[in-house]
Amino acid sequence: MNALLELGRALRLRRSEMGLSQARVAALSGLSRQTVSQLETGSVPDLGLNKAERLAELLGLALRVDTGLTGRQGKMSALERAVATAGVSYRSALPPEELRRALTTGEVADRYAPHLHALLDDAPVSLLAALAEQLQEEDGQARAQVWKRYRRLAQQVKSLRNLWR
């Protein structure tokens, strides 16, 4: 499959799951809405690698060159990585079950609000996307619903990340 077609399909799906408009993605990425639209419909004639990478990174996607070798074995789950990211600056850890509960209900205990703030402000979008994928696989939560809860939680903890505004 053509790389631009594949990127366009992934972009449309992720943008939709995240509840972002083409105009919002364009504004956040520095591209025009027309370029985003053309990429999603497969009609963009060309897109530079830097632009494609910037757009992919914004939505937590990755551009990769596949060497055909197998991936790392024994790596941490997205939930484990998210908990580690959320607790890096705090003495007490955010328990995985508390993060899972927050992402299931859209509510966070006051005691863990700073942890969630750190996660939603600082975690790579690719980690948040992997966490949404894990919650879908393990708990049957629709990825789009997880992204909605991310936004709700970001408002609750007063996240400064431009993505959540």
Side-chain angles (χ1 to χ4, degrees):
M1 176 185 289
N2 178 306
L4 284 177
L5 287 174
E6 190 173 342
L7 178 60
R9 288 178 182 160
L11 167 66
R12 183 177 339 128
L13 177 62
R14 181 62 56 81
R15 179 185 62 74
S16 176
E17 289 173 355
M18 292 175 73
L20 298 173
S21 67
Q22 288 180 344
R24 183 74 175 132
V25 168
L28 290 170
S29 67
L31 300 174
S32 71
R33 192 207 56 78
Q34 181 180 5
T35 299
V36 173
S37 176
Q38 288 178 334
L39 185 57
E40 286 187 3
T41 60
S43 62
V44 69
D46 193 19
L47 187 68
L49 187 56
N50 288 334
K51 290 178 183 179
E53 188 173 37
R54 185 171 63 231
L55 189 56
E57 186 176 295
L58 170 71
L59 298 175
L61 301 170
L63 301 181
R64 292 196 172 99
V65 174
D66 187 355
T67 63
L69 302 175
T70 58
R72 294 182 300 169
Q73 299 297 319
K75 64 182 181 178
M76 293 172 64
S77 73
L79 182 64
E80 292 167 330
R81 287 183 292 141
V83 165
T85 299
V88 75
S89 298
Y90 300 100
R91 184 174 299 156
S92 64
L94 171 64
E97 62 276 3
E98 181 62 28
L99 178 55
R100 188 182 295 270
R101 188 190 71 71
L103 296 177
T104 299
T105 65
E107 298 176 9
V108 61
D110 290 342
R111 148 181 203 191
Y112 297 116
H115 296 80
L116 221 41
H117 184 275
L119 178 68
L120 295 172
D121 263 13
D122 299 330
V125 177
S126 58
L127 173 56
L128 299 175
L131 181 54
E133 181 71 27
Q134 181 179 346
L135 292 173
Q136 180 181 22
E137 290 174 7
E138 293 178 358
D139 301 346
Q141 295 185 49
R143 290 187 305 261
Q145 291 302 313
V146 175
W147 285 103
K148 281 183 182 180
R149 286 190 285 273
Y150 283 153
R151 282 192 301 281
R152 185 176 337 145
L153 289 164
Q155 290 173 350
Q156 286 179 23
V157 300
K158 298 178 177 30
S159 171
L160 302 174
R161 192 177 214 161
N162 202 19
L163 180 65
W164 308 124
R165 295 185 194 154

